[in-house]
Amino acid sequence: MNGLSLHRKIEENTGLLIFGILVVSAIGGLVQLVPVLNQDSLEEPTSNTRPYSAVELTGRDIYMREGCSVCHSQQIRPLIAEVERYGPYSRAGEFVYDRPFMWGSKRTGPDLHRIGGKYSDDWHRLHLLDPRAVVAESIMPAYPWLGEREASEAGNITAKMRGLRRLGHPYTDEEIAAAEADLEGLKEIDTLIAYLQLLGTNFNEEEETNE
Amino acid sequence: MADMQTGFWAGWIAVLTLVSLAAMGWLVWSIYFGRDSHEETPEEPVWDETLEEGHRPPPLWWFWLLFGAMIFSLIYLIFFPGLGSYSGLLDWSQGARMADSMENFDARFAEPRAEVAAMTLAEIQNDLNLMDTAERIFRRECSVCHGPDGRGQANLFPNLHDVDWQWGASPEQIEQSIRGGRRANMIAWQAVLGEDGIDRVAEYVQVLGSDAAAGHEGATQYQQTCAACHGADGSGNVALGAPRLDDDIWLYGGDLATIRETLQNGRYGVMPAFGERLDDFQIKLLIALLAR
């Protein structure tokens, strides 16, 4: 048998054709995806990556809700220009508690992966409520409602943490029980700032040797 | 940069890749050059009386294109990591490439950096090119808070070009402000002073430094609670970041309402630390820019 007669056989037999297509198109996934799913090192958090607290988790959900990732990426690529501008490039282990990832793919504004600690809370507050108050030429939209809405009403935090625990995030019963109280009295903007200030701070340079 | 695959999955990747490459090679080869690839097969069906199914192989340049791509993949897999745990003849890795380009980058700027390190601040200030660089660094890193011209904004971020330095005007003090950041801490005085006390002291702070201060009814409480940090005469204390109160320069504001607000709620200005984000060269240029 050669390729041509094989061709003929397959083309004249629909069942065989479907089977062949499935096999061939599965190979890419079998090589690229399956081994990675079984690679523990990608699920290993960097030594000081921890699950988001109730407050930070709420801030993260607001980040998702407001679509910040439409304009901001959260992944610093291993390129000199990016490392010089934003800081150490992003490691897989820093994202193990991100479900889903906020990596994004578009940079209308700067990357935010290492924004934590770069500015003060005061600055973030002014900037989120009205970006033009601090950056005259900014084209980022203003989010005035973040300063008015109660954080405790931004979704059911207890259910969220339970769900994440089922997926393997190590929350304790006490943390989940205290979650609602943690949000008491906070506005949405407070939680978003807490989230921004945590971003990218879970990485220490010493781990950089682990290439 | 995730580490290489090892063990079972490394073999899995290598075997699947090589087997499918070989299978494709065989398929393409045999279609063009196989035994019956050029024979006519008579029993082809004929549709609509004239429509015959032919099976002439596609043009030969297709073959070379596909074959070339396969050869390329093979060479690629020999030199670069891709086949499971085999790291390639070149021993290439993303992490190493990053470290390499960082080294090149540092080497490229080593000379101007060393020059700047050896210069005095006055020499830097007289070099227009360097000052231009300094201004660009300032605009990129600092202007979102201190304003594009460094003259402060939003009544939260101080003017860096006035005579009043909360944390000190010497190059060493400015360096400390930039490297380590500053955390000002003035607690709320409502509980200590009471409503009336706040009014009296706020008024006193407003007139501090002028003749009206002598014998003012807020003076006693000011001396008791505030003088330790702001000085008996309101001249401030750079070690604590307590600003001068006897002049007309204010960060948060010098009108009565704002001073009252300052006293009622306290003030906790934060200047972030830049010691990690900027290198020595950039920091020195910034000091030269600000210490003029």
Side-chain angles (χ1 to χ4, degrees):
Chain A
M1 189 164 70
N2 69 13
L4 210 61
S5 51
L6 182 68
H7 247 274
R8 182 161 301 129
K9 194 171 207 172
I10 290 178
E11 274 180 16
E12 285 166 2
N13 186 336
T14 322
L16 206 58
L17 184 65
I18 292 177
F19 178 74
I21 290 175
L22 286 180
V23 169
V24 171
S25 51
I27 290 178
L30 289 176
V31 171
Q32 285 272 4
L33 298 180
V34 176
V36 174
L37 291 180
N38 288 288
Q39 195 173 3
D40 292 338
S41 69
L42 293 181
E43 287 166 36
E44 191 85 12
T46 58
S47 67
N48 41 7
T49 297
R50 56 167 175 79
Y52 294 103
S53 71
V55 174
E56 291 147 5
L57 193 63
T58 306
R60 208 180 103 85
D61 283 344
I62 292 168
Y63 186 93
M64 274 189 254
R65 185 190 74 198
E66 301 296 349
C68 308
S69 57
V70 171
C71 289
H72 294 287
S73 59
Q74 283 188 18
Q75 45 167 333
I76 300 164
R77 292 171 294 177
L79 301 170
I80 192 122
E82 304 221 345
V83 170
E84 275 293 296
R85 175 165 179 189
Y86 299 119
Y89 58 87
S90 307
R91 312 299 153 113
E94 295 182 81
F95 298 100
V96 290
Y97 298 120
D98 275 29
R99 276 170 213 269
F101 304 121
M102 288 288 104
W103 288 339
S105 58
K106 172 94 169 60
R107 285 182 183 159
T108 303
D111 188 277
L112 295 182
H113 187 208
R114 304 253 177 248
I115 195 73
K118 183 176 180 198
Y119 300 129
S120 56
D121 293 359
D122 286 338
W123 186 86
H124 282 299
R125 194 175 301 275
L126 284 173
H127 183 252
L128 287 169
L129 296 177
D130 177 16
R132 261 68 58 197
V134 281
V135 183
E137 67 279 16
S138 177
I139 56 161
M140 173 163 143
Y143 296 88
W145 55 86
L146 296 180
E148 289 153 20
R149 299 210 203 146
E150 300 295 333
S152 50
E153 281 158 31
N156 184 343
I157 185 66
T158 318
K160 267 185 242 167
M161 290 173 76
R162 283 224 192 85
L164 287 174
R165 180 160 71 176
R166 202 162 296 168
L167 293 173
H169 296 209
Y171 290 120
T172 62
D173 286 333
E174 292 79 53
E175 280 170 329
I176 294 181
E180 287 196 17
D182 289 345
L183 294 180
E184 210 52 56
L186 295 182
K187 300 288 184 202
E188 289 187 346
I189 197 168
D190 300 313
T191 63
L192 181 55
I193 292 174
Y195 168 64
L196 291 173
Q197 295 290 28
L198 178 74
L199 272 182
T201 57
N202 292 333
F203 176 74
N204 56 14
E205 293 272 355
E206 282 83 71
E207 287 185 42
E208 227 180 324
T209 44
N210 171 28
E211 298 296 332
Chain B
M1 293 111 305
D3 19 23
M4 306 289 284
Q5 294 279 1
T6 50
F8 172 75
W9 291 110
W12 167 274
I13 293 177
V15 168
L16 265 182
T17 307
L18 292 176
V19 166
S20 44
L21 196 61
M24 276 191 304
W26 167 80
L27 187 67
V28 173
W29 183 273
S30 71
I31 283 180
Y32 282 94
F33 307 114
R35 214 177 347 102
D36 59 352
S37 60
H38 298 290
E39 290 165 15
E40 286 298 323
T41 26
E43 74 274 24
E44 280 297 350
V46 177
W47 311 96
D48 271 350
E49 291 170 7
T50 55
L51 207 54
E52 278 177 52
E53 243 182 57
H55 60 272
R56 210 170 314 145
L60 203 61
W61 65 269
W62 280 26
F63 167 76
W64 289 112
L65 200 69
L66 293 169
F67 195 66
M70 286 176 213
I71 298 291
F72 174 83
S73 326
L74 208 60
I75 294 177
Y76 182 91
L77 288 172
I78 291 172
F79 283 101
F80 289 94
L83 282 181
S85 57
Y86 171 63
S87 59
L89 284 183
L90 295 182
D91 218 11
W92 186 94
S93 85
Q94 223 167 12
R97 187 196 56 171
M98 187 60 220
D100 258 12
S101 52
M102 206 71 199
E103 241 169 60
N104 285 340
F105 179 78
D106 285 341
R108 196 145 63 99
F109 292 104
E111 208 178 309
R113 280 180 175 160
E115 267 170 36
V116 167
M119 287 166 93
T120 66
L121 287 185
E123 282 166 351
I124 297 178
Q125 284 159 350
N126 286 329
D127 185 324
L128 287 182
N129 272 336
L130 285 179
M131 288 318 274
D132 193 47
T133 310
E135 267 173 36
R136 259 185 290 132
I137 299 173
F138 187 88
R139 275 203 300 275
R140 193 186 71 204
E141 301 287 339
C142 324
S143 66
V144 294
C145 288
H146 292 289
D149 51 1
R151 300 205 171 272
Q153 63 179 0
N155 284 337
L156 270 183
F157 308 112
N159 183 339
L160 299 177
H161 293 309
D162 57 11
V163 291
D164 205 357
W165 289 85
Q166 211 174 322
W167 298 94
S170 74
E172 293 74 29
Q173 285 160 327
I174 294 178
E175 177 162 4
Q176 246 176 26
S177 295
I178 299 175
R179 271 190 202 282
R182 298 288 193 186
R183 279 179 179 272
N185 194 341
M186 184 173 87
I187 56 162
W189 295 109
Q190 180 88 5
V192 181
L193 298 175
E195 199 65 40
D196 292 345
I198 292 232
D199 282 341
R200 278 195 298 273
V201 177
E203 274 173 36
Y204 180 70
V205 166
Q206 249 199 336
V207 299
L208 246 179
S210 73
D211 297 339
H216 192 282
E217 54 172 356
T220 338
Q221 268 179 317
Y222 176 88
Q223 296 302 341
Q224 279 166 2
T225 22
C226 324
C229 293
H230 291 284
D233 51 356
S235 58
N237 182 341
V238 290
L240 299 166
R244 288 187 84 98
L245 299 177
D246 63 350
D247 58 7
D248 271 339
I249 298 174
W250 301 92
L251 175 54
Y252 298 103
D255 57 298
L256 208 55
T258 312
I259 297 181
R260 287 194 42 152
E261 200 187 309
T262 299
L263 297 183
Q264 269 165 357
N265 306 332
R267 293 289 187 189
Y268 308 91
V270 174
M271 154 81 193
F274 279 85
E276 301 262 304
R277 289 194 188 262
L278 301 177
D279 58 36
D280 294 351
F281 165 82
Q282 294 167 315
I283 291 179
K284 189 158 183 190
L285 289 186
L286 284 174
I287 299 171
L289 180 72
L290 296 179
R292 282 194 286 196

